Amino acid sequence: MCGIMGYVGFRDTTKVILEGLAKHEYRGYDSAGIAVIRDGRIEDLRTVGRVAQLAEKAERSGFRGDIGIGHTRWATHGGVTENNAHPHISSDGRVVLVHNGIIENARDIRAELEACGVKFHTETDTESAVQYLGHVYDGDPKEAIVKLTKRVRGAFALVIIFHDKPNEIWVARKGSPLVVGHAENEGFCASDPTALLEFTHDVWFMDDDEMALIKREGCEFFDFNGDRHEKPTMHLDWDAAMTNRGAYPHFMLKEIHEQPEVVAHTLLGRVAEGEVDLSRELGWTAEDAAKWKKIHFIACGTSHYATIVAQHIMETFGSFEIRTEVASEYRYRNIPAGEDTLAVFVSQSGETADTLHAARLAKSRGARCLVITNVRGSTIHREVGEALITPAGPEIGVAATKTFTAQITILTLLGMYLSKLRGELDAETEKRLVSAMMDIPGKLASILSQEKDIAATARNFADARGFFFIGRGLAYPPALEGALKLKEISYLHAEAYPAGEMKHGPIALLDKELPVVALVPKGELWEKTVSNIEESMARKSPIIAVATEGDEEIGHYTENIIFTPETETELFPFIAVVPLQLFAYYIARQRGCDIDMPRNLAKSVTVE
Ligand code: F6R
């Protein structure tokens, strides 16, 4: 949460920082600010609101400088005010910094400094860091930062400039993401590597307890004792064009439309001739797979729902004891894990603090750990090591869409591969599922071609009080994801239930203002779900059905039907989720919501 950017070089510093911040807005967007050094003085500009407002303010005032840092905020400590917006400057005007994370002992540091006569001006935890630096700085930035890192507790990515070092950006990291880049005669740092793609593809991902000096001439890396070390670069294989919206009005819509390609890309090199093969990425043996009795899937939000899809699919052909756990709970529960456990962490960003902490715990308990992430080189990737990367490309819309389909694709392959290693997946099932998965991109494209009809259906329900999403078996996990998408971007209350659970309580809420989205694919649970549709109709709830093409009977129950192509029962979540994403998108659009940056949300949640 919060996005930070720093630049030293020959370009227009303000422009580089503001454009970089705009790429970070998904991480926080309640206020923004920039600071530069001009004529040996630190100057800053801040505003409540979006980076675009900051850019207007900078344009009006002709804000310029030679070296700069910027920040887009997602408030944790201190309200959303211009005064609390970053960058923060020490009272003596010698140091300026931006911060992502939380300084847990900020109160103690503040009390200590106030006792020495230092004046504080904001309600933020960050100010304790900059005032501390101002207090101890005697011309040696490295020494001052080493002292700071020993004094503060908590999580931080800090980007710092000292008034008398106009060619130096200093950064330090513990627990919050930070990436450093260098090109000829210019240096950069950012929270998100996509902000650097325009300038360089070779970057250094900062590790915990590491600091760096960024200059036009190059970068140097140090530990928190100030000792220098060498650090290899990592090459980013993303393309800068992937971070543009193109002709789409929102990133979310663009990303929904990318899904056929993303699924095809995810399958590439992992399936061939009716077989799944992950051996190029996973050095697992049949003995490993036989040893693992338990699989713990650990993730948050949409990624957690992807693991529930995996659990349901794997249960149809394997004998693992599978748990799907929300990372923020997993870490505080005493769930036995050891050598008989494969712990699979799923995180689009690879930076989610809860998932990262859960991974450390599982590792310490002796579980074998694997991560599924969309960001090569992300913190969780580096810490866990063993990984399957989803090749979805950068996802900018705050609501996850294409990364969910990439995750369920790779999780399905993983489930099949593991069961195959254990001798539990028969060749016929493998062939049937692989062939059906190869057909998914075409089927998603056919759903996307119904966009206009789905949009029309969605618009009719934009004034509903809230929604229930119901499904049974493999129709339940996509119901969870459909409800989450709607909540996130339209601010309407939406809840998903296994359809049979409605009568145990939630049914009390049903009336004509609470529509029910029923996921009712053709198959053995069709009749049971239809009974639940009838129960809802008896309470006057309007019904929106997501049904299988050719299912004429469903027309007896509702005229609001989204037809989806037939697929194997196990793969229904792939087919169901795309119309639900479009449904949420068009409701949010009708309601005039800020779709790519929904209120209160940040894409990468790096605080607990
Ligand atoms: C929902 C959404 C969030 C994330 C969650 C985990 O649209 O994006 O629920 O899925 O914050 O994030 P990652 O996958 O980055 O760990």
Side-chain angles (χ1 to χ4, degrees):
M1 343 265 292
C2 300
I4 53 190
M5 179 87 197
Y7 178 71
V8 54
F10 54 86
R11 298 172 203 259
D12 175 345
T13 301
T14 310
K15 188 164 177 278
V16 173
I17 301 269
L18 290 173
E19 288 179 0
L21 287 185
K23 296 205 166 89
H24 281 93
E25 263 195 315
Y26 70 85
R27 298 179 62 88
Y29 30 86
D30 57 42
S31 47
I34 178 168
V36 294
I37 296 192
R38 180 147 84 175
D39 303 331
R41 274 172 47 87
I42 293 171
E43 292 188 12
D44 69 315
L45 198 67
R46 291 174 287 157
T47 186
V48 166
R50 295 284 168 89
V51 174
Q53 286 160 263
L54 183 67
E56 276 168 31
K57 216 169 164 179
E59 180 70 32
R60 275 199 307 275
S61 61
F63 190 82
R64 293 278 171 277
D66 304 324
I67 180 171
I69 59 178
H71 189 271
T72 173
R73 182 170 186 240
W74 188 85
T76 55
H77 290 52
V80 180
T81 63
E82 188 168 311
N83 197 44
N84 287 336
H86 300 215
H88 292 293
I89 305 177
S90 60
S91 292
D92 59 13
R94 296 191 307 153
V95 189
V96 61
L97 61 75
V98 290
H99 168 221
N100 171 25
I102 292 177
I103 294 177
E104 288 164 4
N105 58 343
R107 278 167 183 270
D108 294 350
I109 298 173
R110 183 172 181 144
E112 175 189 306
L113 293 173
E114 280 178 338
C116 301
V118 177
K119 292 261 174 299
F120 276 67
H121 309 286
T122 77
E123 298 153 351
T124 65
D125 54 327
T126 301
E127 191 180 359
S128 63
V130 76
Q131 298 293 14
Y132 185 88
L133 281 175
H135 191 63
V136 300
Y137 181 55
D138 65 0
D140 183 342
K142 189 169 73 176
E143 201 180 289
I145 297 170
V146 166
K147 283 185 184 151
L148 176 73
T149 60
K150 300 207 183 312
R151 184 66 185 89
V152 292
R153 271 203 324 271
F156 53 83
L158 290 165
V159 182
I160 312 159
I161 308 183
F162 296 82
H163 77 116
D164 55 346
K165 306 284 176 201
N167 187 33
E168 296 183 4
I169 295 177
W170 286 85
V171 301
R173 171 198 156 131
K174 190 186 188 82
S176 299
L178 193 64
V179 61
V180 169
H182 193 267
E184 206 177 336
N185 276 323
E186 54 186 346
F188 313 82
C189 62
S191 302
D192 186 326
T194 57
L196 306 188
L197 290 175
E198 206 181 320
F199 312 104
T200 179
H201 280 68
D202 294 307
V203 299
W204 295 272
F205 285 95
M206 296 290 293
D207 286 313
D208 277 348
D209 301 327
E210 191 173 39
M211 53 197 260
L213 165 61
I214 306 165
K215 299 208 286 188
R216 285 179 177 80
E217 300 78 25
C219 302
E220 291 174 42
F221 298 88
F222 309 90
D223 62 21
F224 277 179
N225 291 319
D227 295 328
R228 194 174 158 188
H229 56 264
E230 295 303 317
K231 190 174 172 73
T233 53
M234 185 170 283
H235 186 75
L236 299 172
D237 48 15
W238 287 350
D239 184 344
M242 289 171 163
T243 61
N244 294 328
R245 217 173 352 100
Y248 288 96
H250 297 100
F251 277 108
M252 183 178 176
L253 191 59
K254 175 182 179 240
E255 288 157 2
I256 289 173
H257 277 267
E258 284 171 0
Q259 293 177 104
E261 204 187 323
V262 164
V263 173
H265 207 159
T266 309
L267 292 172
L268 204 71
R270 292 172 170 141
V271 295
E273 291 167 21
E275 289 197 34
V276 186
D277 185 4
L278 301 182
S279 62
R280 273 180 296 277
E281 295 155 284
L282 306 171
W284 295 349
T285 59
E287 290 73 52
D288 289 326
K291 190 175 68 189
W292 300 323
K293 304 276 177 284
K294 303 185 236 172
I295 300 187
H296 292 181
F297 284 116
I298 300 136
C300 305
T302 288
S303 300
H304 170 58
Y305 293 155
T307 68
I308 298 179
V309 171
Q311 178 182 34
H312 278 62
I313 296 179
M314 285 179 73
E315 281 169 359
T316 66
F317 49 68
S319 70
F320 286 103
E321 191 188 314
I322 304 171
R323 301 183 77 122
T324 51
E325 299 290 339
V326 166
S328 56
E329 290 294 314
Y330 186 85
R331 15 174 342 206
Y332 296 110
R333 287 172 58 197
N334 194 15
I335 299 178
E339 285 191 355
D340 62 348
T341 313
L342 174 68
V344 181
F345 299 87
V346 182
S347 174
Q348 177 282 128
S349 62
E351 300 295 346
T352 301
D354 290 322
T355 313
L356 194 55
H357 287 294
R360 288 176 188 151
L361 178 75
K363 217 170 175 178
S364 74
R365 289 186 173 162
R368 178 75 169 258
C369 295
L370 169 74
V371 64
I372 296 177
T373 180
N374 198 42
V375 183
R376 194 183 292 282
S378 55
T379 306
I380 201 161
H381 180 197
R382 283 176 290 129
E383 284 204 17
V384 170
E386 200 151 35
L388 291 169
I389 306 290
T390 50
E395 187 174 67
I396 315 279
V398 164
T401 51
K402 63 174 178 174
T403 53
F404 175 80
T405 35
Q407 287 168 350
I408 60 176
T409 306
I410 223 157
L411 281 161
T412 306
L413 297 179
L414 174 68
M416 289 165 69
Y417 184 64
L418 268 171
S419 303
K420 191 169 144 172
L421 281 180
R422 273 159 77 98
E424 287 175 354
L425 182 73
D426 62 80
E428 199 188 317
T429 307
E430 183 179 14
K431 217 178 177 83
R432 176 176 64 80
L433 286 178
V434 166
S435 143
M437 287 181 86
M438 306 277 277
D439 289 341
I440 292 288
K443 291 186 177 174
L444 298 189
S446 112
I447 293 167
L448 290 168
S449 71
Q450 297 176 50
E451 182 173 352
K452 273 203 180 115
D453 297 337
I454 298 171
T457 307
R459 283 190 204 105
N460 287 338
F461 291 95
D463 293 325
R465 188 178 82 233
F467 286 83
F468 275 1
F469 285 66
I470 61 170
R472 284 173 180 260
L474 274 141
Y476 172 56
L480 286 165
E481 177 58 6
L484 180 64
K485 288 293 87 93
L486 193 60
K487 271 189 274 223
E488 285 182 296
I489 62 170
S490 74
Y491 315 141
L492 283 171
H493 185 239
E495 239 25 92
Y497 290 99
E501 185 64 14
M502 290 269 284
K503 57 186 175 294
H504 298 290
I507 202 165
L509 290 171
L510 293 188
D511 63 24
K512 63 180 179 350
E513 285 165 23
L514 199 123
V516 172
V517 180
L519 277 61
V520 56
K522 265 287 177 210
E524 60 171 359
L525 297 172
W526 186 90
E527 277 178 4
K528 297 253 179 260
T529 313
V530 165
S531 300
N532 303 123
I533 290 179
E534 294 211 61
E535 285 159 14
S536 308
M537 288 169 69
R539 273 88 194 166
K540 305 211 163 25
S541 284
I543 306 294
I544 299 125
V546 178
T548 309
E549 267 165 19
D551 177 1
E552 283 171 15
E553 262 182 88
I554 198 73
H556 300 316
Y557 303 93
T558 177
E559 42 184 47
N560 307 305
I561 308 168
I562 300 172
F563 281 113
T564 56
E566 200 159 0
T567 183
E568 296 297 315
T569 310
E570 295 93 327
L571 304 187
F572 179 67
F574 288 81
I575 297 295
V577 77
V578 175
L580 297 183
Q581 294 165 346
L582 285 172
F583 185 74
Y585 173 83
Y586 280 103
I587 287 191
R589 202 157 145 180
Q590 182 73 8
R591 293 171 64 82
C593 299
D594 191 345
I595 292 177
D596 280 338
M597 287 179 221
R599 70 182 183 208
N600 304 341
L601 297 180
K603 187 148 188 81
S604 173
V605 186
T606 52
V607 294
E608 286 175 58

